[in-house]
PDB file of all heavy atoms in Angstrom:
ATOM      1  N   SER A  66     -42.808 -35.863  19.046  1.00 91.00           N
ATOM      2  CA  SER A  66     -43.838 -35.228  18.217  1.00 91.00           C
ATOM      3  C   SER A  66     -45.208 -35.247  18.884  1.00 91.00           C
ATOM      4  O   SER A  66     -46.050 -34.385  18.619  1.00 91.00           O
ATOM      5  CB  SER A  66     -43.916 -35.926  16.854  1.00 91.00           C
ATOM      6  OG  SER A  66     -44.222 -37.303  17.025  1.00 91.00           O
ATOM      7  N   SER A  67     -45.420 -36.237  19.754  1.00 93.00           N
ATOM      8  CA  SER A  67     -46.709 -36.359  20.436  1.00 93.00           C
ATOM      9  C   SER A  67     -46.484 -37.077  21.765  1.00 93.00           C
ATOM     10  O   SER A  67     -46.697 -38.285  21.864  1.00 93.00           O
ATOM     11  CB  SER A  67     -47.715 -37.129  19.578  1.00 93.00           C
ATOM     12  OG  SER A  67     -48.959 -37.261  20.251  1.00 93.00           O
ATOM     13  N   PRO A  68     -46.010 -36.358  22.786  1.00 94.00           N
ATOM     14  CA  PRO A  68     -45.646 -36.986  24.051  1.00 94.00           C
ATOM     15  C   PRO A  68     -46.758 -37.863  24.617  1.00 94.00           C
ATOM     16  O   PRO A  68     -47.934 -37.505  24.575  1.00 94.00           O
ATOM     17  CB  PRO A  68     -45.351 -35.796  24.966  1.00 94.00           C
ATOM     18  CG  PRO A  68     -44.917 -34.712  24.028  1.00 94.00           C
ATOM     19  CD  PRO A  68     -45.782 -34.900  22.805  1.00 94.00           C
ATOM     20  N   SER A  69     -46.336 -39.010  25.171  1.00 94.00           N
ATOM     21  CA  SER A  69     -47.302 -39.972  25.692  1.00 94.00           C
ATOM     22  C   SER A  69     -47.847 -39.587  27.065  1.00 94.00           C
ATOM     23  O   SER A  69     -48.829 -40.159  27.526  1.00 94.00           O
ATOM     24  CB  SER A  69     -46.639 -41.353  25.791  1.00 94.00           C
ATOM     25  OG  SER A  69     -45.514 -41.301  26.655  1.00 94.00           O
ATOM     26  N   GLY A  70     -47.171 -38.635  27.737  1.00 96.00           N
ATOM     27  CA  GLY A  70     -47.615 -38.238  29.069  1.00 96.00           C
ATOM     28  C   GLY A  70     -47.387 -36.760  29.299  1.00 96.00           C
ATOM     29  O   GLY A  70     -47.233 -35.973  28.356  1.00 96.00           O
ATOM     30  N   ASN A  71     -47.317 -36.394  30.559  1.00 97.00           N
ATOM     31  CA  ASN A  71     -47.157 -34.996  30.942  1.00 97.00           C
ATOM     32  C   ASN A  71     -45.673 -34.630  30.928  1.00 97.00           C
ATOM     33  O   ASN A  71     -44.993 -34.662  31.962  1.00 97.00           O
ATOM     34  CB  ASN A  71     -47.763 -34.758  32.324  1.00 97.00           C
ATOM     35  CG  ASN A  71     -47.807 -33.284  32.681  1.00 97.00           C
ATOM     36  OD1 ASN A  71     -47.160 -32.449  32.050  1.00 97.00           O
ATOM     37  ND2 ASN A  71     -48.585 -32.965  33.713  1.00 97.00           N
ATOM     38  N   CYS A  72     -45.167 -34.281  29.751  1.00 97.00           N
ATOM     39  CA  CYS A  72     -43.745 -33.962  29.615  1.00 97.00           C
ATOM     40  C   CYS A  72     -43.386 -32.693  30.375  1.00 97.00           C
ATOM     41  O   CYS A  72     -42.277 -32.565  30.900  1.00 97.00           O
ATOM     42  CB  CYS A  72     -43.380 -33.829  28.141  1.00 97.00           C
ATOM     43  SG  CYS A  72     -41.614 -33.588  27.842  1.00 97.00           S
ATOM     44  N   SER A  73     -44.303 -31.758  30.473  1.00 97.00           N
ATOM     45  CA  SER A  73     -44.029 -30.518  31.202  1.00 97.00           C
ATOM     46  C   SER A  73     -43.720 -30.802  32.671  1.00 97.00           C
ATOM     47  O   SER A  73     -42.828 -30.182  33.264  1.00 97.00           O
ATOM     48  CB  SER A  73     -45.214 -29.556  31.095  1.00 97.00           C
ATOM     49  OG  SER A  73     -45.411 -29.139  29.765  1.00 97.00           O
ATOM     50  N   GLU A  74     -44.445 -31.736  33.250  1.00 97.00           N
ATOM     51  CA  GLU A  74     -44.180 -32.114  34.642  1.00 97.00           C
ATOM     52  C   GLU A  74     -42.773 -32.690  34.779  1.00 97.00           C
ATOM     53  O   GLU A  74     -42.048 -32.375  35.726  1.00 97.00           O
ATOM     54  CB  GLU A  74     -45.211 -33.135  35.127  1.00 97.00           C
ATOM     55  CG  GLU A  74     -44.985 -33.572  36.566  1.00 97.00           C
ATOM     56  CD  GLU A  74     -45.941 -34.665  37.018  1.00 97.00           C
ATOM     57  OE1 GLU A  74     -46.723 -35.158  36.175  1.00 97.00           O
ATOM     58  OE2 GLU A  74     -45.893 -35.029  38.209  1.00 97.00           O
ATOM     59  N   VAL A  75     -42.387 -33.525  33.832  1.00 97.00           N
ATOM     60  CA  VAL A  75     -41.049 -34.111  33.856  1.00 97.00           C
ATOM     61  C   VAL A  75     -39.987 -33.019  33.739  1.00 97.00           C
ATOM     62  O   VAL A  75     -39.001 -33.002  34.492  1.00 97.00           O
ATOM     63  CB  VAL A  75     -40.888 -35.133  32.719  1.00 97.00           C
ATOM     64  CG1 VAL A  75     -39.460 -35.672  32.668  1.00 97.00           C
ATOM     65  CG2 VAL A  75     -41.881 -36.279  32.881  1.00 97.00           C
ATOM     66  N   GLN A  76     -40.172 -32.100  32.816  1.00 97.00           N
ATOM     67  CA  GLN A  76     -39.199 -31.016  32.619  1.00 97.00           C
ATOM     68  C   GLN A  76     -39.088 -30.139  33.856  1.00 97.00           C
ATOM     69  O   GLN A  76     -37.984 -29.734  34.257  1.00 97.00           O
ATOM     70  CB  GLN A  76     -39.601 -30.186  31.405  1.00 97.00           C
ATOM     71  CG  GLN A  76     -39.496 -30.939  30.084  1.00 97.00           C
ATOM     72  CD  GLN A  76     -40.152 -30.200  28.931  1.00 97.00           C
ATOM     73  OE1 GLN A  76     -41.069 -29.398  29.131  1.00 97.00           O
ATOM     74  NE2 GLN A  76     -39.700 -30.468  27.711  1.00 97.00           N
TER      75      GLN A  76
END
Side-chain angles (χ1 to χ4, degrees):
S66 59
S67 179
S69 60
N71 188 345
C72 185
S73 295
E74 180 184 5
V75 176
Q76 293 169 334

